[in-house]
Amino acid sequence: MPWYQLDDANDPKLDALAKQYDLHPLHLEDARNPDEGVKVDSGSNYTFAVFKPVRLIPDPDNPGEEMPSFSPVDIFAGKDFLITISDPTCPTTEQALTRARRDGDEEHPGKLVSLILDTIVDLYFPAIDHFDDRIDQLEDKVFDDPSPEILQAVFAIKRELIDLRRVLVNTRDAALHLQRDPNTIIDADYQPYVRDTYDHIARLLDSVETQRDLLNNTLDIYLSSVSNRTNEVMKVLTVLGTIALPALAISGIYGMNLKGLPFEDSPHGAEWVAGITVLATAILLFVLRKLDWL
């Protein structure tokens, strides 16, 4: 059975293969759409599939961090042919195709497709582990030093998890289609492998949901920490204002130049007023201490 491996969906060779194997024009259009989602569609004499392996690449908006990136793999699998279109620079795709060549059987294209899908799904686990590590780091930072940068990181990871979850949900639906569609290229001998892959996808989705919950908890902790710090600052400012109140009140009264004020004509009037101010402040501090406000 011939296996045609193309690096670009716009390769004229794909048009020749489309005529040779009667590939549907809509499938060709999907293969040439870089934004096409994960899907599986069974034609009259072949199965068309779009999978999206994940790889970690440097995050341009966050130096030193990595982010998931998806590169589509388009597959036309018939009883007597297999066509794959993939990005040759994607290491995840290369691992999937290499395993299919090594462990697959060219006489059974269904096995090749199941191996490609299984490898792609298994390579999602390192991405999940990567998010686990990043979330753990955020949880440590949010306790030690909550800052706006942490908030930005939380929202960035949430966006990445949304993209990952969308791909995984579509991949789960594709695996389910391979199990239930009687016209699919996956025959009964390889259905157990696809069911095992489906279970792996379900585990991945559970992990993504758990990570989203952890991020929400981290966000709640951040907001609580910021609120607590704001309350502490307001408490300090309030206490300082209260402590200064006796001095402000006494100096305000004497600053109005009213007649008949105590110690007005005394040569030691300033000392007396200062002493009264200190005494009033000390009494206020004693009262606040007794009330456990300090």
Side-chain angles (χ1 to χ4, degrees), residues 95-110:
Q95 282 184 256
L97 298 181
T98 299
R99 182 192 174 196
R101 294 192 200 95
R102 183 184 67 244
D103 301 336
D105 183 356
E106 292 189 356
E107 298 302 321
H108 298 87

Side-chain angles (χ1 to χ4, degrees), residues 1-3 51 75 77-78 81-84 96-119 185-186 190:
M1 181 198 72
W3 179 349
F51 300 135
I75 301 174
F81 72 94
L82 180 67
I83 302 172
T84 58
L97 298 181
T98 299
R99 182 192 174 196
R101 294 192 200 95
R102 183 184 67 244
D103 301 336
D105 183 356
E106 292 189 356
E107 298 302 321
H108 298 87
K111 183 177 182 180
L112 295 175
V113 173
S114 66
L115 284 172
I116 292 173
L117 176 60
D118 182 64
T119 307
I185 194 66
I186 306 294
Y190 303 109

Side-chain angles (χ1 to χ4, degrees), residues 15 17 61 80 106 149 166 190 207 221 223 228 260 272 287:
D15 295 318
L17 292 173
D61 298 326
D80 57 351
E106 292 189 356
E149 289 75 15
R166 181 171 59 250
Y190 303 109
S207 298
I221 294 172
L223 295 176
N228 289 337
W272 278 104
V287 173

Side-chain angles (χ1 to χ4, degrees), residues 184-229:
T184 184
I185 194 66
I186 306 294
D187 53 27
D189 293 337
Y190 303 109
Q191 287 294 341
Y193 298 100
V194 178
R195 285 195 293 270
D196 180 68
T197 301
Y198 182 89
D199 292 338
H200 290 178
I201 300 172
R203 287 171 49 195
L204 288 167
L205 283 171
D206 288 340
S207 298
V208 170
E209 293 300 327
T210 301
Q211 290 173 341
R212 293 176 67 184
D213 291 339
L214 290 174
L215 277 177
N216 289 331
N217 293 338
T218 302
L219 182 59
D220 291 340
I221 294 172
Y222 170 82
L223 295 176
S224 297
S225 299
V226 172
S227 178
N228 289 337
R229 292 180 65 181

Side-chain angles (χ1 to χ4, degrees), residues 265-279:
D265 299 323
S266 173
H268 302 290
E271 289 81 358
W272 278 104
V273 171
I276 293 173
T277 301
V278 172
L279 178 62

